[in-house]
Amino acid sequence: MAEQTAKIVRFHELGGADVLKIEDLPLEEPGKGEVRLRVKAIGLNRAECMFRLGKYLVHPTLPSKIGYEASGIVEAVGEGVDAAWVGKTVSTVPAFHADEYGVYGEVAIVPVGALAEYPARLSYEEGTSIWMQYITAYGAIVLQGKVVKGDFVLITAASSSVGLAAIEIVKAEGAVSIATTRTSKKKAELLALGADYVIATEEEDLAARVMEITGGKGARIIFDPVAGKGIQALAASASVGATIFEYGALALEPTPFPLFAALTKHLWFKGYTLFEVVGDPAAFPVAKKYVFDHLESGAFQPKIARTFPFSEVVQAQEYMESNAQVGKIMVVV
């Protein structure tokens, strides 16, 4: 009897998107606490590009799998996992580290704790594109930032899937979103997707515009995945006592500490990732319910930027690195 195989994406060296290779590998069985997912759709994340380059929080052990987010049907369970999962349609929550598992493939082995069911009205693509973005934004803005009605929230890199999720969450909580994008090219679309204000940072003075919008107060919550020297303008845009959530390092450059702004405005700087939420047994189920309920009500509408076939996974990552997208980039298996 021929050995069963599955097509899995791996990379054997660090580098650009072209290091990703689709390989025929033996079909793995799930181990203790794991399931095997028959993958239908894969969602791309910036973290995966940085992981592939060797510039992420954890480093790959080569050859390495890749990927956090997928949806599909559970087809096998490992020791200690309830067999009732078999046949269920689920998506993965990034509740594991990038160097532990990988979901780019026809199948994926993932821990059962990383599975979540989503509203049945969502497509596989939509179901894939929810947990990373909404839980990341929820944890900072709602759980830790304690956003209230009327708060001004500054959201940078707003055309990303997490940025769009943040815009929807701010609206749902009755606060005011100020979204940033580099040029005016995406301005109209961001406004159409719910942003209250949009600032093109290469064309406008960020701090001056924020102060104009907020009547001189500044933003109480700042949600930023970029870091780098732009932190100075963010601090200048902050209100007294504001919290600046840094949840990424897309600038790939040193981040200077804005000492004088921090001292004069009594600012809080918070290094943050969604692992704080998914790793907290009390917060994680609350976060999942928050996202599920808002999806069910229609308050949250995941935005798919573009879809690629599995054979074009390299092109999909190259598209992500082009920064042309508004929303989530998907790969359909």
Side-chain angles (χ1 to χ4, degrees), residues 131-171:
W131 302 115
M132 168 73 88
Q133 64 197 56
Y134 287 112
I135 290 180
T136 300
Y138 164 86
I141 295 168
V142 177
L143 184 64
Q144 296 186 11
K146 295 180 170 47
V147 68
V148 296
K149 189 173 181 179
D151 269 343
F152 290 99
V153 182
L154 180 60
I155 301 161
T156 68
S159 60
S160 69
S161 59
V162 179
L164 296 181
I167 289 169
E168 289 183 316
I169 286 172
V170 169
K171 185 176 288 293

Side-chain angles (χ1 to χ4, degrees), residues 118-130:
Y118 54 84
R121 68 177 185 83
L122 300 183
S123 66
Y124 286 123
E125 291 86 351
E126 290 170 329
T128 308
S129 68
I130 53 179

Side-chain angles (χ1 to χ4, degrees), residues 152-237:
F152 290 99
V153 182
L154 180 60
I155 301 161
T156 68
S159 60
S160 69
S161 59
V162 179
L164 296 181
I167 289 169
E168 289 183 316
I169 286 172
V170 169
K171 185 176 288 293
E173 297 298 324
V176 180
S177 61
I178 305 170
T180 79
T181 182
R182 287 180 301 170
T183 70
S184 296
K185 191 175 177 183
K186 299 176 181 177
K187 211 168 189 177
E189 191 167 5
L190 287 170
L191 289 166
L193 289 167
D196 294 303
Y197 300 92
V198 180
I199 300 170
T201 54
E202 290 180 1
E203 302 165 16
E204 304 172 77
D205 183 313
L206 176 63
R209 281 289 290 129
V210 169
M211 290 302 169
E212 185 184 333
I213 290 164
T214 62
K217 290 182 185 175
R220 192 184 74 77
I221 297 171
I222 297 175
F223 185 55
D224 175 57
V226 182
K229 60 181 180 292
I231 193 79
Q232 303 282 9
L234 297 183
S237 304

Side-chain angles (χ1 to χ4, degrees), residues 88-110:
K88 287 190 174 183
T89 296
V90 297
S91 53
T92 59
V93 184
F96 48 86
H97 290 291
D99 60 341
E100 295 175 323
Y101 294 91
V103 303
Y104 284 26
E106 293 178 326
V107 299
I109 303 291
V110 293

